[in-house]
Amino acid sequence: EVAYRETATVVTEGQYKHVKQTGGRGQYGHVEMKLEPMGPGTGFEFVNEGRGGHIPMNFIPSIEKGIIKAMEAGPCGGYPVVDMRVTVVDGSYHEVDSNDFAFREAGRACFRELFLKSRPQLLEPLMSIEVTVPEEYLGPASGSICQRRGRIESMDDVAGSKIIRGTVPLSEMFGYAGAIRTLTQGRGSFTMHFEHYEAVPDSIEAEIVERRRKAGKVK
């Protein structure tokens, strides 16, 4: 299972009101938020810019908890959401019916709704790869990288062998050890390590999301 991630690509703003009345004490939590995409690897930033008194300060951590809960499984493919700044802009509360649970639910639902409007994007882990082969197998080895959506960045000669360096999506590397051995009659080898996350091409993203939906991984 490849560790995909989800992120937003545009700024979105909106509000959500969690209201339930089931006899006796009800639930009321109202938040207005702004979602902003941030640079790769920046993680999650929570900002409270709520106007004084509209949401009591003791409910702000509950909103943040709701947002973090929503980010654990994004609404597109059920993957964790990363690299986001979420700002609480405003909201309101009810003196009797507001509680931590209501504001946690308001934060969770508001984030989910806004994220779906933020042109969400699936990210995939990109691996840095180094393939070592005898010179006569340079062509097939290079082709095998390109066939796997890889990008070749350099080729060097070392002790009679060719070293190909580049990047390849992790999802394309399953079974590559056997493939490179077959291509080089057992004389080729490779190493790889994680480089960074990068956007998945649209056509492939659609396939991944559809597969996840069929598997019941998307709520």
Side-chain angles (χ1 to χ4, degrees):
E1 182 75 20
V2 176
Y4 292 102
R5 298 287 184 263
E6 299 180 27
T7 195
T9 59
V10 298
V11 177
T12 53
E13 290 188 64
Q15 60 181 315
Y16 185 89
K17 193 175 287 187
H18 176 79
V19 182
K20 281 194 175 180
Q21 195 71 46
T22 53
R25 191 170 179 177
Q27 296 174 21
Y28 183 96
H30 170 219
V31 294
E32 182 181 334
M33 299 194 312
K34 178 168 71 172
L35 271 58
E36 300 172 84
M38 296 201 295
T42 50
F44 167 61
E45 183 181 338
F46 177 78
V47 181
N48 176 34
E49 291 182 355
R51 297 174 180 87
H54 289 198
I55 302 176
M57 285 302 296
N58 58 299
F59 291 136
I60 299 299
S62 299
I63 297 171
E64 183 177 7
K65 287 176 184 175
I67 293 165
I68 291 171
K69 183 66 177 176
M71 292 178 68
E72 289 176 1
C76 298
Y79 295 106
V81 177
V82 297
D83 304 332
M84 299 287 302
R85 177 187 290 116
V86 182
T87 303
V88 174
V89 178
D90 201 0
S92 63
Y93 78 106
H94 188 279
E95 288 187 1
V96 176
D97 293 342
S98 286
N99 53 46
D100 288 320
F101 177 81
F103 273 101
R104 191 164 65 244
E105 281 299 293
R108 184 191 63 77
C110 192
F111 178 89
R112 187 178 177 85
E113 284 191 2
L114 293 181
F115 186 75
L116 283 168
K117 298 175 183 176
S118 69
R119 295 182 199 162
Q121 188 176 62
L122 210 59
L123 305 174
E124 64 181 346
L126 212 67
M127 311 302 288
S128 177
I129 187 173
E130 188 174 286
V131 182
T132 305
V133 296
E135 187 168 356
E136 61 265 35
Y137 298 108
L138 178 62
S142 299
S144 72
I145 294 173
C146 296
Q147 288 167 3
R148 294 168 184 263
R149 296 196 285 126
R151 295 192 293 264
I152 294 173
E153 294 167 354
S154 68
M155 295 184 188
D156 297 308
D157 294 297
V158 177
S161 294
K162 289 285 187 179
I163 296 181
I164 308 166
R165 295 184 178 90
T167 54
V168 188
L170 176 60
S171 62
E172 303 288 346
M173 290 304 293
F174 297 112
Y176 189 68
I180 195 66
R181 280 198 299 268
T182 301
L183 283 173
T184 61
Q185 297 184 359
R187 298 168 65 192
S189 62
F190 80 99
T191 60
M192 67 177 183
H193 63 266
F194 173 75
E195 186 66 30
H196 59 264
Y197 273 89
E198 196 169 282
V200 177
D202 291 344
S203 58
I204 296 173
E205 177 176 337
E207 291 175 13
I208 294 168
V209 171
E210 180 60 25
R211 202 161 58 235
R212 293 282 286 183
R213 290 190 189 283
K214 287 181 178 178
K217 301 290 187 180
V218 183
K219 295 180 182 179

Coordinates of all heavy atoms in Angstrom, one line a residue, residues 20-21 23-29 56 59 92-100 102-103:
K20 N -28.1 20.4 16.8 CA -29.0 19.3 17.1 C -29.8 19.5 18.3 O -29.3 20.0 19.4 CB -28.1 18.0 17.3 CG -27.6 17.4 16.0 CD -27.1 16.0 16.1 CE -26.7 15.4 14.8 NZ -26.2 14.0 14.9
Q21 N -31.1 19.1 18.2 CA -32.0 19.3 19.4 C -32.7 18.0 19.5 O -33.5 17.6 18.7 CB -33.0 20.4 19.1 CG -33.7 20.9 20.4 CD -32.7 21.6 21.3 OE1 -32.0 22.5 20.9 NE2 -32.8 21.3 22.6
G23 N -34.4 16.9 22.4 CA -35.1 16.9 23.8 C -34.1 17.2 24.8 O -32.9 16.7 24.8
G24 N -34.4 18.0 25.7 CA -33.4 18.4 26.8 C -32.4 19.3 26.2 O -32.6 20.1 25.3
R25 N -31.1 19.1 26.6 CA -30.0 20.0 26.2 C -29.6 19.6 24.7 O -29.5 18.4 24.4 CB -28.8 19.8 27.1 CG -27.7 20.8 26.9 CD -26.7 20.7 28.0 NE -25.6 21.7 27.8 CZ -24.7 21.8 28.7 NH1 -24.6 21.1 29.8 NH2 -23.7 22.7 28.5
G26 N -29.4 20.6 23.9 CA -29.0 20.4 22.5 C -27.6 20.5 22.3 O -26.7 20.5 23.2
Q27 N -27.2 20.7 21.0 CA -25.8 20.9 20.6 C -25.8 22.1 19.6 O -26.6 22.1 18.7 CB -25.3 19.6 19.9 CG -25.2 18.4 20.8 CD -24.8 17.2 20.0 OE1 -24.2 17.3 18.9 NE2 -25.1 16.0 20.5
Y28 N -24.8 23.0 19.9 CA -24.7 24.1 19.0 C -23.2 24.5 18.9 O -22.6 24.8 19.9 CB -25.5 25.3 19.5 CG -25.4 26.5 18.6 CD1 -26.4 26.8 17.7 CD2 -24.3 27.4 18.7 CE1 -26.3 27.9 16.8 CE2 -24.3 28.5 17.8 CZ -25.3 28.7 16.9 OH -25.2 29.8 16.1
G29 N -22.7 24.5 17.7 CA -21.4 24.9 17.4 C -21.3 25.5 16.0 O -21.7 24.9 15.0
P56 N -16.1 31.4 22.6 CA -15.3 31.4 23.9 C -14.0 30.6 23.6 O -13.9 29.6 22.9 CB -16.2 30.6 24.9 CG -17.6 30.9 24.4 CD -17.5 30.9 22.9
F59 N -13.4 26.8 23.7 CA -13.9 25.9 22.6 C -12.9 25.8 21.4 O -13.1 25.0 20.6 CB -15.3 26.3 22.1 CG -16.4 26.1 23.1 CD1 -17.3 27.1 23.4 CD2 -16.5 24.9 23.9 CE1 -18.4 26.9 24.3 CE2 -17.5 24.7 24.8 CZ -18.4 25.7 25.0
S92 N -20.0 31.5 16.3 CA -21.0 31.9 17.3 C -21.2 30.7 18.3 O -20.9 29.5 17.9 CB -22.3 32.4 16.8 OG -23.0 31.4 16.1
Y93 N -21.8 31.0 19.4 CA -22.1 29.9 20.4 C -23.4 30.2 21.1 O -24.0 31.3 21.0 CB -20.9 29.8 21.4 CG -21.0 30.8 22.5 CD1 -21.4 30.5 23.8 CD2 -20.6 32.1 22.2 CE1 -21.4 31.5 24.8 CE2 -20.6 33.1 23.2 CZ -21.0 32.8 24.5 OH -21.1 33.7 25.5
H94 N -23.9 29.1 21.7 CA -25.1 29.2 22.5 C -24.8 29.0 24.0 O -24.1 28.1 24.3 CB -26.1 28.2 22.0 CG -27.5 28.3 22.6 ND1 -27.8 27.8 23.8 CD2 -28.6 28.8 22.1 CE1 -29.1 28.0 24.1 NE2 -29.6 28.7 23.0
E95 N -25.3 29.8 24.8 CA -24.9 29.8 26.2 C -25.3 28.5 26.9 O -24.6 28.0 27.8 CB -25.6 30.9 27.0 CG -25.0 32.3 26.7 CD -25.6 33.4 27.6 OE1 -26.4 33.0 28.5 OE2 -25.2 34.5 27.4
V96 N -26.3 27.8 26.4 CA -26.8 26.5 27.0 C -26.3 25.3 26.2 O -25.7 24.3 26.7 CB -28.3 26.5 27.2 CG1 -28.7 25.1 27.7 CG2 -28.8 27.6 28.1
D97 N -26.5 25.4 24.9 CA -26.3 24.2 24.0 C -24.9 24.0 23.5 O -24.5 23.0 23.0 CB -27.2 24.2 22.8 CG -28.7 24.1 23.3 OD1 -28.9 23.6 24.4 OD2 -29.6 24.4 22.5
S98 N -24.0 25.0 23.6 CA -22.6 24.8 23.1 C -21.8 24.0 24.1 O -21.9 24.1 25.3 CB -22.0 26.2 22.9 OG -22.5 26.8 21.8
N99 N -21.0 23.1 23.5 CA -20.1 22.3 24.3 C -18.9 21.9 23.4 O -18.9 22.2 22.2 CB -20.8 21.1 24.9 CG -21.6 20.3 23.8 OD1 -21.0 20.0 22.7 ND2 -22.8 19.9 24.1
D100 N -18.0 21.2 24.0 CA -16.8 20.8 23.3 C -17.1 19.9 22.1 O -16.5 20.0 21.0 CB -15.8 20.1 24.2 CG -15.1 21.0 25.2 OD1 -14.8 22.1 24.8 OD2 -15.0 20.6 26.4
A102 N -19.8 19.7 20.3 CA -20.5 20.5 19.2 C -19.5 21.2 18.4 O -19.5 21.2 17.1 CB -21.5 21.4 19.8
F103 N -18.5 21.9 19.0 CA -17.5 22.6 18.3 C -16.5 21.7 17.6 O -16.0 22.0 16.5 CB -16.8 23.6 19.2 CG -17.5 24.9 19.3 CD1 -18.3 25.2 20.4 CD2 -17.5 25.8 18.2 CE1 -19.1 26.4 20.4 CE2 -18.2 27.0 18.3 CZ -19.0 27.3 19.4

